[in-house]
Amino acid sequence: MAGMVESDKIDVGFSGKRCLHSRNCVLGDPNVFVPNAPGQWIHPEAASVEKIVAIAESCPSGAMTYIRKDGGPQEQPPVVNTVRLRENGPLAVHAGIVLDGETSYRATLCRCGASENKPFCDGSHNKSGFAATGHR
């Protein structure tokens, strides 16, 4: 994990290496995940633990993580593993994933071959002209 922002009830982690810039975090609550902030941009004290958990678990890349301090449940692997093809983009995986000894439950993996951050998508598909439907 690249960085952790601590608060009394929940710590929020962010890994820029995994971030796909889907903006789910900012759109989920711009008071917690402040867009274009010059310094600290994550403020976990600005919303309820439940809201932050929901936003983190909607992060398709797994770049956003959390550690609850309120006794509530931590994120668990899904009951059914899924891989979604994103139109002209990566594979969105929701499963128990172990990469380089680190366990996570969400990842966006490169399927165009152009990423400089393999196995993760870094958005290179946008520049490379990669085109593929989201249908199987």
Side-chain angles (χ1 to χ4, degrees), residues 1-6 10-26 32-37 39-44 52 55-56 59-67 102 104 106 108 117 121:
M1 189 165 320
M4 185 70 75
V5 178
E6 297 183 18
I10 190 167
D11 296 345
V12 178
F14 174 74
S15 172
K17 177 180 179 180
R18 296 183 71 144
C19 186
L20 186 64
H21 305 287
S22 67
R23 296 184 51 84
N24 288 21
C25 54
V26 171
V32 176
F33 304 98
V34 180
N36 305 314
Q40 182 58 263
W41 66 281
I42 301 173
H43 301 277
I52 293 170
I55 293 168
C59 174
S61 68
M64 198 63 59
T65 58
Y66 62 88
I67 299 171
E102 186 178 318
S104 63
R106 293 165 280 113
T108 46
N117 189 31
C121 175

Side-chain angles (χ1 to χ4, degrees), residues 80-96:
V80 176
N81 297 336
T82 59
V83 177
R84 290 188 169 82
L85 299 171
R86 299 191 77 140
E87 183 95 20
N88 299 328
L91 300 170
V93 179
H94 189 204

